[in-house]
Amino acid sequence: GGPQDTSAAKEYYEKGDRENEKEKGKGAGNDPDAVSPEKLQEKLKHEMQAKLKGLEDQIMVEVFPGGVRIQLVDKAGQPIFPLGGSAPTEVGRKMLEAVAGSIKDVPNKIAIEGHTDALSYSSNRYTNWELSTERASAARKELETFGLNPDSLALVAGYAATLPLIKDNPNDPRNRRISIIIQYPGSAEGAGADASVSASSPIPPPSSSSTPL
């Protein structure tokens, strides 16, 4: 009994803590620092710039409370989905292939969101809700085709025009986009309810300071 047991228990739990820290660091060269949101953001920016020359103004990578968000945005004359359609264009497939190659080995959970502009359909039988959801699902299929593990997915959802990127112009083509979120739930602590990353709530919208690569 006594102090010796206490010391042994302390050593046991400290060893467990060290093992947990090692596990957290796996998936990015076994370097715990390499999987921090900021490190991942820089890695993704560098790789996207190298893989997608000429498309830099349609890609945004930002750190936010809860993770790292990659935005693939439409551009007049160079859409990632055809107007009103849910099958990715060649540009869209190229962008999704590049993203899949960069995130398929990241151990974190992934969320995929579809967003539209505010232009509405004449019928309520098919709306931007259906369109954004179908685009998110189409993006998921492409990412999986290019190597993303389906088990890494935490959420696939469409949000219509409720979370515009360009808030003062809801019809701006850049509001038509796919958001791919690499979740870091621990980094949302203390950031408020809006930072929650769960299957029942949308990821916080991008800040107005989001800029392309």
mmCIF file of all heavy atoms in Angstrom, residues 12-33:
data_model
loop_
_atom_site.group_PDB
_atom_site.id
_atom_site.type_symbol
_atom_site.label_atom_id
_atom_site.label_comp_id
_atom_site.label_asym_id
_atom_site.label_seq_id
_atom_site.Cartn_x
_atom_site.Cartn_y
_atom_site.Cartn_z
ATOM 1 N N TYR A 12 1.392 5.160 -14.269
ATOM 2 C CA TYR A 12 0.501 4.479 -15.215
ATOM 3 C C TYR A 12 -0.354 5.494 -15.981
ATOM 4 O O TYR A 12 -0.467 5.439 -17.207
ATOM 5 C CB TYR A 12 -0.395 3.511 -14.447
ATOM 6 C CG TYR A 12 -1.484 2.882 -15.294
ATOM 7 C CD1 TYR A 12 -1.218 1.802 -16.125
ATOM 8 C CD2 TYR A 12 -2.782 3.391 -15.259
ATOM 9 C CE1 TYR A 12 -2.213 1.226 -16.900
ATOM 10 C CE2 TYR A 12 -3.778 2.817 -16.036
ATOM 11 C CZ TYR A 12 -3.490 1.743 -16.842
ATOM 12 O OH TYR A 12 -4.472 1.182 -17.609
ATOM 13 N N TYR A 13 -0.948 6.447 -15.237
ATOM 14 C CA TYR A 13 -1.817 7.416 -15.893
ATOM 15 C C TYR A 13 -1.042 8.401 -16.761
ATOM 16 O O TYR A 13 -1.510 8.813 -17.821
ATOM 17 C CB TYR A 13 -2.660 8.165 -14.843
ATOM 18 C CG TYR A 13 -3.772 7.298 -14.293
ATOM 19 C CD1 TYR A 13 -3.781 6.896 -12.958
ATOM 20 C CD2 TYR A 13 -4.800 6.847 -15.119
ATOM 21 C CE1 TYR A 13 -4.780 6.091 -12.468
ATOM 22 C CE2 TYR A 13 -5.810 6.033 -14.618
ATOM 23 C CZ TYR A 13 -5.806 5.664 -13.301
ATOM 24 O OH TYR A 13 -6.789 4.861 -12.813
ATOM 25 N N GLU A 14 0.146 8.771 -16.343
ATOM 26 C CA GLU A 14 0.974 9.662 -17.164
ATOM 27 C C GLU A 14 1.368 8.977 -18.459
ATOM 28 O O GLU A 14 1.393 9.594 -19.523
ATOM 29 C CB GLU A 14 2.213 10.100 -16.375
ATOM 30 C CG GLU A 14 1.902 11.150 -15.322
ATOM 31 C CD GLU A 14 3.149 11.578 -14.570
ATOM 32 O OE1 GLU A 14 4.198 10.925 -14.754
ATOM 33 O OE2 GLU A 14 3.063 12.564 -13.808
ATOM 34 N N LYS A 15 1.648 7.666 -18.374
ATOM 35 C CA LYS A 15 1.978 6.910 -19.583
ATOM 36 C C LYS A 15 0.770 6.888 -20.520
ATOM 37 O O LYS A 15 0.904 7.065 -21.736
ATOM 38 C CB LYS A 15 2.382 5.480 -19.212
ATOM 39 C CG LYS A 15 2.759 4.632 -20.434
ATOM 40 C CD LYS A 15 3.125 3.204 -20.020
ATOM 41 C CE LYS A 15 3.456 2.371 -21.257
ATOM 42 N NZ LYS A 15 3.742 0.970 -20.931
ATOM 43 N N GLY A 16 -0.414 6.703 -19.940
ATOM 44 C CA GLY A 16 -1.631 6.716 -20.756
ATOM 45 C C GLY A 16 -1.828 8.053 -21.449
ATOM 46 O O GLY A 16 -2.204 8.117 -22.617
ATOM 47 N N ASP A 17 -1.552 9.146 -20.724
ATOM 48 C CA ASP A 17 -1.668 10.474 -21.319
ATOM 49 C C ASP A 17 -0.704 10.632 -22.479
ATOM 50 O O ASP A 17 -1.051 11.214 -23.522
ATOM 51 C CB ASP A 17 -1.394 11.559 -20.268
ATOM 52 C CG ASP A 17 -2.528 11.671 -19.257
ATOM 53 O OD1 ASP A 17 -3.638 11.174 -19.569
ATOM 54 O OD2 ASP A 17 -2.302 12.234 -18.174
ATOM 55 N N ARG A 18 0.527 10.134 -22.315
ATOM 56 C CA ARG A 18 1.518 10.249 -23.386
ATOM 57 C C ARG A 18 1.075 9.456 -24.612
ATOM 58 O O ARG A 18 1.231 9.888 -25.743
ATOM 59 C CB ARG A 18 2.889 9.761 -22.896
ATOM 60 C CG ARG A 18 3.560 10.732 -21.929
ATOM 61 C CD ARG A 18 5.024 10.382 -21.754
ATOM 62 N NE ARG A 18 5.237 9.047 -21.191
ATOM 63 C CZ ARG A 18 5.291 8.791 -19.888
ATOM 64 N NH1 ARG A 18 5.115 9.768 -19.015
ATOM 65 N NH2 ARG A 18 5.507 7.547 -19.458
ATOM 66 N N GLU A 19 0.509 8.255 -24.368
ATOM 67 C CA GLU A 19 0.032 7.433 -25.482
ATOM 68 C C GLU A 19 -1.118 8.132 -26.215
ATOM 69 O O GLU A 19 -1.208 8.095 -27.433
ATOM 70 C CB GLU A 19 -0.435 6.054 -24.970
ATOM 71 C CG GLU A 19 0.685 5.172 -24.473
ATOM 72 C CD GLU A 19 1.712 4.886 -25.574
ATOM 73 O OE1 GLU A 19 1.316 4.655 -26.714
ATOM 74 O OE2 GLU A 19 2.923 4.903 -25.275
ATOM 75 N N ASN A 20 -2.006 8.775 -25.435
ATOM 76 C CA ASN A 20 -3.121 9.506 -26.063
ATOM 77 C C ASN A 20 -2.616 10.633 -26.936
ATOM 78 O O ASN A 20 -3.147 10.891 -28.020
ATOM 79 C CB ASN A 20 -4.059 10.064 -24.986
ATOM 80 C CG ASN A 20 -4.910 8.976 -24.353
ATOM 81 O OD1 ASN A 20 -5.083 7.918 -24.946
ATOM 82 N ND2 ASN A 20 -5.429 9.233 -23.146
ATOM 83 N N GLU A 21 -1.596 11.329 -26.466
ATOM 84 C CA GLU A 21 -1.037 12.431 -27.261
ATOM 85 C C GLU A 21 -0.433 11.900 -28.557
ATOM 86 O O GLU A 21 -0.553 12.511 -29.610
ATOM 87 C CB GLU A 21 0.038 13.181 -26.453
ATOM 88 C CG GLU A 21 -0.527 14.027 -25.327
ATOM 89 C CD GLU A 21 -1.530 15.052 -25.837
ATOM 90 O OE1 GLU A 21 -1.243 15.729 -26.842
ATOM 91 O OE2 GLU A 21 -2.612 15.151 -25.248
ATOM 92 N N LYS A 22 0.218 10.720 -28.467
ATOM 93 C CA LYS A 22 0.785 10.120 -29.681
ATOM 94 C C LYS A 22 -0.314 9.765 -30.664
ATOM 95 O O LYS A 22 -0.194 9.967 -31.864
ATOM 96 C CB LYS A 22 1.583 8.856 -29.319
ATOM 97 C CG LYS A 22 2.922 9.148 -28.662
ATOM 98 C CD LYS A 22 3.633 7.835 -28.360
ATOM 99 C CE LYS A 22 4.943 8.075 -27.616
ATOM 100 N NZ LYS A 22 5.594 6.800 -27.262
ATOM 101 N N GLU A 23 -1.419 9.230 -30.148
ATOM 102 C CA GLU A 23 -2.531 8.850 -31.025
ATOM 103 C C GLU A 23 -3.094 10.083 -31.729
ATOM 104 O O GLU A 23 -3.433 10.050 -32.894
ATOM 105 C CB GLU A 23 -3.652 8.182 -30.207
ATOM 106 C CG GLU A 23 -3.335 6.763 -29.805
ATOM 107 C CD GLU A 23 -3.185 5.848 -31.014
ATOM 108 O OE1 GLU A 23 -3.990 5.952 -31.948
ATOM 109 O OE2 GLU A 23 -2.245 5.038 -31.026
ATOM 110 N N LYS A 24 -3.214 11.198 -31.005
ATOM 111 C CA LYS A 24 -3.736 12.426 -31.606
ATOM 112 C C LYS A 24 -2.853 12.897 -32.746
ATOM 113 O O LYS A 24 -3.314 13.522 -33.688
ATOM 114 C CB LYS A 24 -3.825 13.542 -30.550
ATOM 115 C CG LYS A 24 -4.930 13.337 -29.542
ATOM 116 C CD LYS A 24 -4.930 14.468 -28.527
ATOM 117 C CE LYS A 24 -5.951 14.249 -27.428
ATOM 118 N NZ LYS A 24 -5.901 15.294 -26.407
ATOM 119 N N GLY A 25 -1.569 12.602 -32.632
ATOM 120 C CA GLY A 25 -0.643 13.099 -33.641
ATOM 121 C C GLY A 25 -0.534 12.234 -34.872
ATOM 122 O O GLY A 25 0.097 12.617 -35.834
ATOM 123 N N LYS A 26 -1.157 11.052 -34.848
ATOM 124 C CA LYS A 26 -1.024 10.140 -35.988
ATOM 125 C C LYS A 26 -1.773 10.679 -37.196
ATOM 126 O O LYS A 26 -2.744 11.395 -37.074
ATOM 127 C CB LYS A 26 -1.560 8.753 -35.626
ATOM 128 C CG LYS A 26 -0.599 7.964 -34.748
ATOM 129 C CD LYS A 26 -1.138 6.563 -34.506
ATOM 130 C CE LYS A 26 -0.148 5.778 -33.651
ATOM 131 N NZ LYS A 26 -0.658 4.450 -33.336
ATOM 132 N N GLY A 27 -1.319 10.303 -38.398
ATOM 133 C CA GLY A 27 -2.031 10.660 -39.613
ATOM 134 C C GLY A 27 -1.383 11.788 -40.370
ATOM 135 O O GLY A 27 -1.799 12.129 -41.453
ATOM 136 N N ALA A 28 -0.383 12.420 -39.834
ATOM 137 C CA ALA A 28 0.306 13.505 -40.541
ATOM 138 C C ALA A 28 1.778 13.414 -40.233
ATOM 139 O O ALA A 28 2.356 14.253 -39.577
ATOM 140 C CB ALA A 28 -0.252 14.855 -40.126
ATOM 141 N N GLY A 29 2.370 12.314 -40.651
ATOM 142 C CA GLY A 29 3.795 12.109 -40.427
ATOM 143 C C GLY A 29 4.130 11.826 -38.983
ATOM 144 O O GLY A 29 5.254 11.985 -38.557
ATOM 145 N N ASN A 30 3.100 11.424 -38.175
ATOM 146 C CA ASN A 30 3.287 11.156 -36.753
ATOM 147 C C ASN A 30 3.843 12.362 -35.999
ATOM 148 O O ASN A 30 4.402 12.227 -34.920
ATOM 149 C CB ASN A 30 4.202 9.939 -36.540
ATOM 150 C CG ASN A 30 3.548 8.664 -37.033
ATOM 151 O OD1 ASN A 30 2.332 8.527 -36.965
ATOM 152 N ND2 ASN A 30 4.352 7.740 -37.538
ATOM 153 N N ASP A 31 3.664 13.541 -36.542
ATOM 154 C CA ASP A 31 4.101 14.765 -35.885
ATOM 155 C C ASP A 31 2.869 15.471 -35.357
ATOM 156 O O ASP A 31 2.052 15.948 -36.136
ATOM 157 C CB ASP A 31 4.832 15.650 -36.905
ATOM 158 C CG ASP A 31 5.243 16.991 -36.304
ATOM 159 O OD1 ASP A 31 5.031 17.174 -35.088
ATOM 160 O OD2 ASP A 31 5.753 17.835 -37.045
ATOM 161 N N PRO A 32 2.695 15.508 -34.011
ATOM 162 C CA PRO A 32 1.489 16.116 -33.455
ATOM 163 C C PRO A 32 1.249 17.529 -33.974
ATOM 164 O O PRO A 32 0.123 17.918 -34.212
ATOM 165 C CB PRO A 32 1.757 16.111 -31.939
ATOM 166 C CG PRO A 32 2.742 15.021 -31.738
ATOM 167 C CD PRO A 32 3.602 14.992 -32.969
ATOM 168 N N ASP A 33 2.307 18.306 -34.157
ATOM 169 C CA ASP A 33 2.140 19.682 -34.631
ATOM 170 C C ASP A 33 1.615 19.731 -36.059
ATOM 171 O O ASP A 33 0.966 20.683 -36.461
ATOM 172 C CB ASP A 33 3.475 20.436 -34.555
ATOM 173 C CG ASP A 33 3.920 20.667 -33.125
ATOM 174 O OD1 ASP A 33 3.061 20.712 -32.238
ATOM 175 O OD2 ASP A 33 5.133 20.780 -32.909
#
